[in-house]
Amino acid sequence: MRLPDRVTGLFLVGLGAAAAYGGWQLPPVPGQPVGPNVFPLVIGTGLALCGLAIALGIGRSFEEEEHLIPVEGGQVKPPTGKLYGLRALLPPALLLFYVAIAERLGFILTATLIVYVTATALGARWKVALPLAVLAPIGIHLIFSKLLRVPLPPGVLPMPW
């Protein structure tokens, strides 16, 4: 399944606008000039602008044509699997999964599942995907809680800091 750039670009514009609107609704932290609303506003605005650029085809002339490199033996191995074409829908599906599950399960376990699924869907072996899925959410949690002072849902596995 191949979606036209206009469809995916407009979907990203809508997703970015929703993220920016959600960030706009967050209450400010008293006494701090930068609150928890800044990050979703910046990411949502950037996502909407990138989606708009994709929908309008801006920068398409700078892309090179895709060349398939045949593997040894002479034949290009086509992608396999029934769901291979649906990989483009994985990020929004995982975002919806995060929204639905993060409060109950907590950030660490939810992010671990998301990172592992994303890494394996992009072709990473489990030996790489598993340590990445364990370490990346801990690092992100540390950045959000200590540097940005943004609380993340503790869920069933609260972090000691």
Side-chain angles (χ1 to χ4, degrees), residues 13-35:
V13 168
L15 189 63
Y21 178 74
W24 187 268
Q25 299 298 317
L26 291 174
V29 176
Q32 291 188 357
V34 178

Side-chain angles (χ1 to χ4, degrees), residues 15 19 47 89-101 114:
L15 189 63
L47 187 63
L89 298 177
L90 189 60
L94 289 175
L95 182 64
L96 293 176
F97 172 75
Y98 180 82
V99 170
I101 300 296
I114 288 173

Side-chain angles (χ1 to χ4, degrees), residues 25 27 39 54 58 67 69 87 100 109 118 122 134 140 145 161:
Q25 299 298 317
F39 185 73
I54 291 171
I58 297 172
H67 299 285
I69 301 171
R87 288 185 315 159
L109 292 178
T118 303
L122 293 176
V134 171
I140 292 170
S145 66
W161 49 80

Side-chain angles (χ1 to χ4, degrees), residues 71-135:
V71 295
E72 290 186 31
Q75 294 292 325
V76 175
K77 186 178 179 182
T80 59
K82 294 178 182 177
L83 302 177
Y84 181 80
L86 298 176
R87 288 185 315 159
L89 298 177
L90 189 60
L94 289 175
L95 182 64
L96 293 176
F97 172 75
Y98 180 82
V99 170
I101 300 296
E103 284 295 326
R104 286 179 266 161
L105 202 57
F107 173 79
I108 294 294
L109 292 178
T110 307
T112 299
L113 291 171
I114 288 173
V115 169
Y116 184 77
V117 168
T118 303
T120 54
L122 293 176
R125 295 182 182 158
W126 72 269
K127 290 180 182 178
V128 175
L130 193 58
L132 181 68
V134 171
L135 296 177

Side-chain angles (χ1 to χ4, degrees), residues 2 11 19 36 47-48 50-51 60-61 70 93 95 113 122 134 143:
R2 187 172 173 101
F11 178 76
L47 187 63
C50 289
R60 189 140 176 93
S61 62
L95 182 64
L113 291 171
L122 293 176
V134 171
I143 290 170

